[in-house]
């Protein structure tokens, strides 16, 4: 009976971990925005380096401010305002208005600063 109890405990633990992973995948850290299959006009967008979010690979960022991010991205698109993409290693990339650029997909993005 004890082995069944251990087995049940492991299943509950794994289910909780899987649920936490799904909750984290809903959006990048505390950045306000939404997943999409494209970058919408007027938005600063970053594209996941691997896979997709729940609604697509494009994170459409809401608002002009500092946004905490915690994932790997391959492309940045400014469909309006300029923004900075900041990396864990202290480096950054600038994205001019109405342009796009590749990002360092092997380095963790820690934040995005959308300028107004």
């Amino acid at each position: 009976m004890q082995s069944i109890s251990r087995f049940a405990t492991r299943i509950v633990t794994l289910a909780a971990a899987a649920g936490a992973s799904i909750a984290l995948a809903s959006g990048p850290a505390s950045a306000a925005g939404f997943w999409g299959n494209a970058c919408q006009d007027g938005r600063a967008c970053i594209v996941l380096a691997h896979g997709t979010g729940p609604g697509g690979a494009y994170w459409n960022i809401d608002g002009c401010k500092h946004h905490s991010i915690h994932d790997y991205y391959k492309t940045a698109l400014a469909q309006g305002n300029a923004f900075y993409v900041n990396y864990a290693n202290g480096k950054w990339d600038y994205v001019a208005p109405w342009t796009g650029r590749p990002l360092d997909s092997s380095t963790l993005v820690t934040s995005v600063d959308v300028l107004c």
Side-chain angles (χ1 to χ4, degrees):
M1 196 68 166
Q2 189 176 28
S3 63
I4 292 174
S5 176
R6 284 184 192 163
F7 179 72
T9 301
R10 287 183 185 153
I11 288 177
V12 169
T13 302
L14 289 172
S21 296
I22 290 168
L24 290 174
S26 64
S30 65
F34 58 92
W35 292 108
N37 291 318
C39 186
Q40 291 188 356
D41 285 346
R43 303 276 181 180
C45 299
I46 49 180
V47 183
L48 280 171
H50 309 287
T52 63
Y58 291 75
W59 183 252
N60 286 262
I61 300 168
D62 285 336
C64 302
K65 62 181 181 177
H66 177 83
H67 296 271
S68 294
I69 305 284
H70 191 82
D71 213 334
Y72 297 85
Y73 295 87
K74 64 181 177 182
T75 307
L77 302 164
Q79 299 288 70
N81 296 344
F83 65 99
Y84 287 94
V85 177
N86 306 299
Y87 298 99
N89 63 6
K91 295 185 179 184
W92 50 267
D93 279 318
Y94 174 76
V95 186
W98 302 105
T99 67
R101 64 168 295 135
L103 298 176
D104 179 357
S105 62
S106 64
T107 303
L108 180 69
V109 173
T110 58
S111 65
V112 170
D113 295 304
V114 181
L115 309 176
C116 287

